[in-house]
Amino acid sequence: MGEKRRKSSYRRIRADSGQQRRIRFVMAVLGAAAFLPVTVRLFGLMVTSYDVYSALALCNQSRTTVTASARGVIYDRNMNILAGSKTVEHVYIDPRELEQTGADIEGMASALSGILEVDGERVKKLARDKSLRYHLIADRVEEDTAAQIRAYIEETGIEGIHLEPNSQRYYPYGSLAAQVIGFTNASNEGAEGIEASYDAYLSGEAGRTVTTKGNNEMDMPFSVEQYLLGQPGADVVTTIDAAVQQALENQMELAVERYAVRNGAFGIVMDVDTGEILAMATLGSYDPNAYLEIGDETVDAQLEALQLDYLRHPEDSPEYAAGKAKYRDALVAARLKQWRNRCISDGYEPGSTFKTITLAAAIDCGAVTLDSHFSCSGAEQIPGRSQLLHCWRHQGHGGQTTAQALQNSCNLAFAHIGLKLGGERFYEYVQKFGILEKTGIDLAGESGGVFFSKELIVDTDKWGTASLTSGSFGQTFKITPLQLVRAVSAVVNGGYLLEPYIVSEVIDHDGRTLLKQEPTVLGRPISEETSKIMCGLIESVVAEGTAKNAAVSGYRVGGKTGTSEKIDVFDENGQRVRDKIVSFVGLAPMDDPRYIILVALDTPDASTGIYISGGVMAAPTVGAVMADILPYLEVSRAEQPRLAQVPDLTGLTGKEAEAALAEAGLSAVFRGDDGQVTAQLPGAGTTLEQGSQVLIYLGEEIPDTAAVPDFSGMTPAQAAKAAADAGLTLRTAGNPDFDRPLLVQLQDIPVGTAVEPGRTVTITFADPEVRD
């Protein structure tokens, strides 16, 4: 009985055990079935799609910061920096980080406002705005200011203030050659001039910093940081010579002030043998370090008046809206005007400077010779012209040779030269001299000028001879200043038409040359023989003609004056203005021309009482530029100066001192009434050119300073007395024909400047009676 019970119990246990195993098996199968999708999903996530989701996670955790590359340097031909870059930093705050670290917002705002000179209330407002992790507080902060921010962070231990390195462009010479160099905008991209034309070389490639961040942009326990180095920009070496550029701009500024020039000026210095631009200037200019500011004080004052006018009205008034729009339009126009490079972008009537091209063409094809003769009665009815043609000299020039026609700048003679040349050949030579096309200079924004259509010039039976004859002396068409400079260069350099250029080389940061420009000959409009003849004729204009005021002592100088009217400019009443552009294109040395200089003054004011002409105003300006730059450029003098050594005059009487100086070929300027020489400037043993002045003090001591007087309009005798009274010495330049009634037109040191006694002031004489 007991045995049966045990067996029965055993069978039940076995039955229960089997049932449990079946249940566990079913449960296991069901569990496996239940977790199978999860397993498959996990397998897919962790194995099959690992690369995809790993990349997504990395992307979600990665933060990339772009690091600006170092922009290349712009140099002049002597490796002086014209444009460079300096390190600056952006200061920004992270509101979430400030909140998470319990930063003192009030204290931070007060500190930043004091260091950065920003609005503290704005800082607090941005610090509470957690919609963004990046709020810029100040951009392009200088290094010394950035150091103060770092010191504050270190001192307080605050987290959430960050500094981000960047670069800022700077221009050491300020406004010098501003339109040529250009500037970079807020994004550090080239916006004008060389900065824009060569931006692809200068900008380089930006670098990147890649870091990993966790939740809420906090640092992760195992952060990754990777630096991808940028590529620095290449350096650009220009053909500009900073010293030549400075000389050109200085003399142009003096002329603008002296002749009350209303619409600025432009000028170019170029190597006639290579096409290299040594200087290119447009006045009024601006400072590329602050390119949004208006450089012209008069224009700036006008803009300020416009702004104040609309600010007087309520903001919701029509007067406010209209005035504000007017101010903004005027501001934009003023900025665009000052950034504009007139030497390549603006056309103007070249006037009589173009006669050199007409005459070169006529001589080259045999239409006229040096033996040709012309008659000028002051006015003539030219066949094919409806209007009587007047020469600038109303009484006429009488009979003239070819050379005299150029020297006198006779319009009637050149009208006949144009007729002899004929429309077909005239147009052909104009085309050969590159007048009908852009010069191809490596600057953006070049214009091609506006010339007559071929039909208008050639078909004189249909259209008459007005365009042909007026065109022959440079009127009723427009070309750019650079087009004229290039064409006149071809007249004197042996007949070669060159492509001007302003960048000679581009060099990368490893010193490898990426670009090198060489002189490029585009054609040969005239023969070498014609070019030699023209050199002699152009030199005679300065020696004997209307350009005597451009003479430079010791150098063989040539050139041609020009005075043109703005025939297409009208006033607010629709009446044609009488504004003029006076210009002069000069060349030196004429035995082997090397440099060409063009200066044009836009609208001199008649209120000065000075006769408005290229010969009176532009010629002495170019002569002054030449006097400054030819020695610097080591151009050989045709005549070497005779030198003298200053003797020791101490203790001599005035008459004895004057005699001693005269024996040495020097002249005396006295300060004091009587007595013995107590001091002299310059001192004994100094070497001077003969004819120079020595300042002698009789019974007086040398004062600490001397004020430069206004020499404008003085005769030589008046200027000498004014210099003596001021305790200064003089150097004369310009027209050497002292038999003429010469007057001072320019002086190299501004009126009222305090200088050391004995300082030499260079004054430029010109004949105010010159007409052209």
Side-chain angles (χ1 to χ4, degrees):
M1 188 69 178
E3 183 66 26
K4 287 181 180 181
R5 192 178 291 116
R6 281 195 300 270
K7 287 182 178 180
S8 174
S9 178
Y10 178 73
R11 282 194 297 268
R12 282 197 304 271
I13 292 172
R14 288 188 61 186
D16 291 343
S17 177
Q19 186 177 5
Q20 289 175 358
R21 283 197 301 269
R22 284 193 298 272
I23 291 172
R24 284 196 295 269
F25 175 76
V26 171
M27 292 296 292
V29 170
L30 291 175
F35 282 98
L36 182 60
V38 177
T39 304
V40 172
R41 180 59 175 162
L42 289 173
F43 183 83
L45 291 173
M46 302 176 65
V47 179
T48 307
S49 302
Y50 173 81
D51 292 338
V52 174
Y53 289 102
S54 176
L56 287 173
L58 183 61
C59 181
N60 187 50
Q61 297 165 0
S62 298
R63 301 293 180 267
T64 301
T65 303
V66 176
T67 305
S69 62
R71 191 171 177 85
V73 177
I74 300 177
Y75 294 100
D76 83 339
R77 67 192 302 116
N78 299 312
M79 302 308 287
N80 296 307
I81 296 177
L82 299 177
S85 296
K86 59 183 178 182
T87 300
V88 292
E89 301 198 54
H90 299 329
V91 179
Y92 71 94
I93 58 174
D94 181 342
R96 290 190 184 179
E97 192 174 359
L98 289 169
E99 182 184 49
Q100 291 166 356
T101 56
D104 177 8
I105 302 299
E106 292 287 339
M108 177 207 67
S110 176
L112 292 185
S113 114
I115 298 172
L116 299 171
E117 297 182 357
V118 295
D119 183 6
E121 291 300 319
R122 174 177 170 272
V123 175
K124 286 189 284 187
K125 182 179 179 181
L126 293 176
R128 297 187 180 102
D129 179 11
K130 294 185 283 295
S131 63
L132 294 175
R133 303 297 304 266
Y134 184 107
H135 284 300
L136 185 66
I137 302 300
D139 65 345
R140 300 189 180 189
V141 173
E142 300 283 350
E143 289 186 13
D144 56 345
T145 305
Q148 295 180 52
I149 298 291
R150 287 193 178 88
Y152 170 73
I153 293 172
E154 185 176 349
E155 179 184 337
T156 60
I158 190 170
E159 296 181 26
I161 302 176
H162 301 279
L163 291 95
E164 186 176 57
N166 209 313
S167 66
Q168 178 174 309
R169 209 64 165 156
Y170 71 94
Y171 302 88
Y173 289 93
S175 63
L176 190 75
Q179 291 83 6
V180 174
I181 300 168
F183 57 86
T184 57
N185 58 25
S187 300
N188 212 27
E189 299 168 336
E192 293 286 342
I194 294 171
E195 291 277 31
S197 298
Y198 285 83
D199 187 63
Y201 287 107
L202 289 163
S203 58
E205 296 180 10
R208 290 183 297 163
T209 302
V210 182
T211 59
T212 55
K213 292 287 185 179
N215 192 32
N216 291 326
E217 299 294 317
M218 302 301 289
D219 290 335
M220 298 175 67
F222 303 100
S223 292
V224 176
E225 194 164 54
Q226 184 179 10
Y227 298 94
L228 302 176
L229 297 178
Q231 186 75 13
D235 297 334
V236 170
V237 182
T238 71
T239 59
I240 294 292
D241 188 310
V244 175
Q245 181 79 30
Q246 189 70 69
L248 176 65
E249 292 193 19
N250 285 348
Q251 294 299 341
M252 287 170 58
E253 287 169 359
L254 290 172
V256 166
E257 182 179 1
R258 173 73 178 101
Y259 306 121
V261 178
R262 297 203 302 267
N263 296 324
F266 49 86
I268 300 172
V269 180
M270 190 177 89
D271 187 320
V272 303
D273 290 330
T274 65
E276 294 173 288
I277 303 295
L278 276 72
M280 181 180 281
T282 299
L283 302 182
S285 194
Y286 69 99
D287 185 349
N289 291 297
Y291 63 89
L292 293 177
E293 296 180 8
I294 303 302
D296 189 310
E297 293 181 359
T298 302
V299 175
D300 191 46
Q302 293 170 349
L303 288 169
E304 186 177 359
L306 284 176
Q307 187 178 35
L308 291 174
D309 184 56
Y310 81 78
L311 288 174
R312 292 187 297 106
H313 302 283
E315 289 191 20
D316 57 351
S317 68
E319 292 82 4
Y320 182 94
K324 187 174 183 179
K326 183 178 180 181
Y327 165 73
R328 285 181 174 176
D329 290 345
L331 179 61
V332 170
R335 285 172 176 169
L336 293 175
K337 183 179 179 180
Q338 71 178 11
W339 298 341
R340 190 175 181 85
N341 186 345
R342 296 181 66 182
C343 294
I344 65 171
S345 298
D346 287 5
Y348 80 112
E349 283 196 16
S352 294
T353 56
F354 195 79
K355 290 172 180 174
T356 55
I357 297 167
T358 301
L359 186 55
I363 291 175
D364 191 68
C365 71
V368 299
T369 69
L370 293 179
D371 297 325
S372 298
H373 282 78
F374 306 91
S375 178
C376 172
S377 60
E380 183 178 346
Q381 186 64 60
I382 301 292
R385 285 184 65 110
S386 59
Q387 295 179 327
L388 193 67
L389 180 62
H390 294 272
C391 185
W392 63 265
R393 184 181 172 93
H394 300 303
Q395 64 268 42
H397 292 103
Q400 304 167 98
T401 64
T402 300
Q404 289 170 333
L406 186 65
Q407 293 165 12
N408 295 331
S409 195
C410 178
N411 287 350
L412 292 182
F414 271 85
H416 283 284
I417 291 173
L419 293 174
K420 288 176 180 291
L421 186 58
E424 189 77 43
R425 288 189 298 192
F426 181 65
Y427 194 87
E428 178 185 338
Y429 273 99
V430 164
Q431 193 168 33
K432 287 181 178 179
F433 275 110
I435 301 301
L436 305 182
E437 61 188 15
K438 298 178 183 180
T439 68
I441 190 171
D442 48 333
L443 285 174
E446 183 182 14
S447 168
V450 180
F451 198 73
F452 310 108
S453 67
K454 185 174 183 179
E455 181 186 9
L456 203 60
I457 291 288
V458 174
D459 193 351
T460 54
D461 291 335
K462 179 178 180 181
W463 299 104
T465 61
S467 296
L468 173 60
T469 51
S470 296
S472 68
F473 49 81
Q475 292 185 11
T476 65
F477 68 89
K478 290 185 175 183
I479 59 176
T480 67
L482 187 58
Q483 283 180 310
L484 178 69
V485 165
R486 177 174 73 157
V488 176
S489 295
V491 171
V492 300
N493 69 3
Y496 298 98
L497 186 71
L498 296 164
E499 182 176 78
Y501 62 100
I502 207 154
V503 168
S504 59
E505 194 172 8
V506 177
I507 306 169
D508 72 7
H509 66 286
D510 291 323
R512 294 174 298 189
T513 298
L514 304 179
L515 173 70
K516 190 172 182 65
Q517 301 216 74
E518 301 287 351
T520 302
V521 177
L522 301 175
R524 195 169 190 183
I526 60 173
S527 68
E528 184 174 0
E529 181 59 30
T530 300
S531 181
K532 288 181 180 178
I533 293 172
M534 287 304 301
C535 284
L537 292 173
I538 290 172
E539 184 176 10
S540 75
V541 178
V542 174
E544 307 172 50
T546 60
K548 285 184 178 180
N549 289 336
V552 181
S553 177
Y555 292 95
R556 292 179 59 182
V557 174
K560 185 69 191 75
T561 56
T563 305
S564 60
E565 293 185 355
K566 298 181 180 180
I567 62 171
D568 59 347
V569 179
F570 301 86
D571 62 20
E572 62 275 9
N573 299 315
Q575 299 297 313
R576 181 176 292 168
V577 301
R578 305 294 295 176
D579 294 351
K580 295 180 179 180
I581 294 180
V582 298
S583 61
F584 182 76
V585 57
L587 297 138
M590 290 312 298
D591 54 331
D592 183 17
R594 180 70 188 277
Y595 299 107
I596 183 170
I597 303 173
L598 168 69
V599 167
L601 309 174
D602 189 347
T603 317
D605 200 305
S607 63
T608 61
I610 302 171
Y611 180 73
I612 298 175
S613 77
V616 173
M617 297 174 170
T621 303
V622 171
V625 175
M626 286 187 174
D628 287 341
I629 71 172
L630 294 181
Y632 167 77
L633 294 172
E634 299 181 347
V635 174
S636 298
R637 296 171 63 106
E639 300 175 5
Q640 293 303 318
R642 291 177 294 176
L643 303 177
Q645 194 171 63
V646 178
D648 186 356
L649 307 174
T650 306
L652 300 181
T653 65
K655 288 185 178 180
E656 292 171 339
E658 190 171 22
L661 289 174
E663 186 177 350
L666 303 169
S667 61
V669 177
F670 292 101
R671 287 295 305 271
D673 297 327
D674 202 2
Q676 296 180 326
V677 176
T678 52
Q680 67 182 77
L681 290 171
T686 304
T687 301
L688 300 175
E689 287 188 28
Q690 287 191 355
S692 298
Q693 296 177 327
V694 176
L695 183 59
I696 299 173
Y697 292 86
L698 298 176
E700 293 186 7
E701 296 300 321
I702 300 174
D704 294 332
T705 61
V708 177
D710 185 356
F711 292 102
S712 300
M714 290 186 180
T715 64
Q718 291 170 336
K721 183 178 185 306
D725 291 343
L728 303 169
T729 59
L730 293 177
R731 173 180 173 270
T732 61
N735 196 323
D737 188 2
F738 282 90
D739 292 331
R740 298 285 300 165
L742 302 183
L743 299 178
V744 176
Q745 296 295 310
L746 302 170
Q747 61 187 79
D748 67 338
I749 303 178
V751 177
T753 303
V755 298
E756 66 276 13
R759 174 78 174 270
T760 299
V761 180
T762 300
I763 55 176
T764 301
F765 284 103
D767 182 353
E769 301 300 320
V770 170
R771 301 290 187 268
D772 59 51

